[in-house]
Amino acid sequence: MTFLDQLRDLAPGELAARLDEFTESATGDPGAGGYLDAQRALYLLSVARWQPSWESIVPAADHTDVVLAALRLSRAWHRADTDRVLGGMELPGIPEFGDWLDDRCRAHASGPQHQLFDFLENRATEAQLREFVFQETPFDIHFGDLVAALIPGVYGAAKLELSHNFWDEMGNGDLKRTHRQLRLNMMSEVGIDAGAHIDGLDTFWVEELELANMYLGSSTDRTLMAQALGMLLATEHVVPGRIDRQIKGWLRVGYGLDQLEYLTEHVTVDVAHAAGWLNEVVQPVLAAHPECLPDIVAGVERRLAGSLRVCDVALRKLSSAA
C-alpha cells in the first residue's frame, strides 16, 4: 500500500489525527522514518488542497479539521527548519542586502561548482540524468502555481514583476510554451511519466520533498510570504548556471536541444527574473517594511541549505549507482 493509499480514504477526524502524529516527527531527527512520512504528508496535503474538487487525490483535504491539522504540521516544520538553518547568523544590513545576496549565492556550495553538476555534465549516464530530473519533479511541476499564489494582495511594481514571472510560466499566452507543458514534454522525451509528482511519492528523496514543501508552504501561508520571496530570489540567482551544466550532460548522452526546451528556457529567463525579483519586489518590500529582513534572509538561507542537501544526496545516490 502506498503512502497516498494510507491517507486517501481516511475520514476527516482520522486524517487530522494522523497529521497531528506527524507534527512531532516533523520537528525531530530528519533521518528518522517518521520525518520522511511527515514530509510526504505535507506534500500530499499541499497538492491536494490546490486541486479542483473533481480531481482531489485526498478527498478530506479541505475539511476544517484536516486544514487546521495540516497548518499545525506545516508551521511546526517551517519553524524547526528555520531555526536549524539560521542558528545565530548575523543578518546583513538592508543597504548591503543586494551585495550580500550576490556574494552568498555565488559562493554557496550548492551552486554550479558543486561536484554534482560536474558529475551530471561529464560522467552521468542517461539513466542517472533521468533520475535527477525525476527527483526534481515535486518542486518543478508546481512552480507556476507557486508564483500565482504570491500575486494576490501585492500591488504596484511588485505585482507587475510577479505577473511577468507568471506570464513567462504561462508561455506568454502560448499553451504549448507554458513551462509546465515544456516540463511534461521533456519528461516524455526522457521516459518519465506525466503523473510522477504523485505516483512517485514513495520513491522521492526526503531532501527533494523538503525543498518542495518549503515553497508550497511559504507561498500559501501568508505568515511565511516574506520567506517565499527570499526563496524565489535565491532560486533565480543560482539556477541558470546549474541548468547549463545539466544541458551539457544531456547533449553528451545524445539528446538534442529541441528535446531540452524546458531546461534551455530557464538559462536565459531566470537571469532576467533575478534582477526583477531583487529590484522590483524584495528591495521595495525591505524599504517599506524593514522588519521583513530576517524572514527574507531566512528564505534565502533555507533555499540554499535545502538545495545543498539535495545536491549532496543526489551526488551520493547517483554516483553510487554508476
Side-chain angles (χ1 to χ4, degrees):
M1 177 180 291
T2 67
F3 188 81
L4 174 59
D5 290 334
Q6 295 175 38
L7 300 188
R8 191 199 312 267
D9 298 323
L10 290 177
E14 295 173 312
L15 179 54
R18 287 293 303 278
L19 295 177
D20 282 335
E21 291 174 7
F22 291 139
T23 298
E24 183 173 354
S25 299
T27 61
D29 180 7
Y35 183 87
L36 173 58
D37 283 347
Q39 292 299 317
R40 287 171 172 165
L42 267 176
Y43 177 73
L44 278 180
L45 268 293
S46 295
V47 174
R49 293 200 62 219
W50 275 7
Q51 291 180 310
S53 59
W54 57 90
E55 292 184 0
S56 181
I57 53 173
V58 181
D62 282 317
H63 188 278
T64 301
D65 291 344
V66 176
V67 171
L68 292 175
L71 184 61
R72 288 192 293 270
L73 169 58
S74 179
R75 288 186 173 176
W77 175 67
H78 279 280
R79 283 194 300 270
D81 190 62
T82 299
D83 290 344
R84 273 194 295 265
V85 170
L86 282 189
M89 76 167 286
E90 183 177 346
L91 298 176
I94 290 177
E96 299 80 34
F97 178 80
D99 290 338
W100 171 84
L101 175 75
D102 287 340
D103 292 343
R104 187 73 177 126
C105 291
R106 188 180 301 110
H108 198 266
S110 66
Q113 70 273 17
H114 192 284
Q115 291 182 11
L116 168 67
F117 299 104
D118 179 70
F119 174 77
L120 294 176
E121 179 181 346
N122 297 306
R123 298 188 301 282
T125 65
E126 179 181 351
Q128 291 164 336
L129 287 161
R130 180 187 303 113
E131 179 65 13
F132 185 69
V133 171
F134 167 79
Q135 288 291 335
E136 292 210 306
T137 304
F139 168 59
D140 282 359
I141 204 71
H142 297 296
F143 194 81
D145 292 332
L146 294 169
V147 176
L150 294 173
I151 294 175
V154 176
Y155 302 101
K159 196 178 196 79
L160 286 179
E161 180 59 33
L162 287 164
S163 298
H164 288 156
N165 197 310
F166 179 68
W167 195 233
D168 280 340
E169 289 292 321
M170 294 299 101
N172 293 291
D174 183 347
L175 178 61
K176 295 178 181 178
R177 302 294 305 170
T178 62
H179 289 189
R180 182 183 177 95
Q181 188 57 54
L182 292 178
R183 222 289 179 174
L184 291 171
N185 292 348
M186 182 179 172
M187 289 165 63
S188 176
E189 290 282 356
V190 305
I192 300 173
D193 185 77
H197 60 293
I198 299 299
D199 299 336
L201 177 69
D202 289 2
T203 56
F204 289 129
W205 305 327
V206 67
E207 293 84 1
E208 288 285 7
L209 291 173
E210 284 179 319
L211 195 61
N213 286 331
M214 283 182 200
Y215 287 89
L216 289 166
S218 62
S219 65
T220 54
D221 184 342
R222 271 351 200 203
T223 68
L224 294 169
M225 186 169 174
Q227 283 207 24
L229 298 183
M231 290 177 195
L232 287 163
L233 181 62
T235 299
E236 304 291 9
H237 271 72
V238 301
V239 163
R242 293 162 40 126
I243 288 182
D244 187 60
R245 303 199 73 178
Q246 292 177 60
I247 291 171
K248 291 176 181 177
W250 282 108
L251 294 176
R252 175 177 51 78
V253 299
Y255 283 77
L257 289 176
D258 59 327
Q259 298 170 290
L260 308 172
E261 284 188 283
Y262 174 76
L263 295 178
T264 58
E265 176 81 3
H266 286 81
V267 171
T268 55
V269 168
D270 285 351
V271 172
H273 285 317
W277 272 102
L278 177 62
N279 298 325
E280 304 298 336
V281 182
V282 173
Q283 291 284 28
V285 167
L286 287 175
H289 301 281
E291 70 277 10
C292 290
L293 177 66
D295 283 336
I296 290 175
V297 170
V300 171
E301 290 294 324
R302 289 184 68 199
R303 200 285 178 205
L304 294 175
S307 182
L308 180 58
R309 290 195 294 270
V310 167
C311 290
D312 288 345
V313 72
L315 179 64
R316 185 172 69 252
K317 288 182 176 290
L318 296 178
S319 61
S320 68

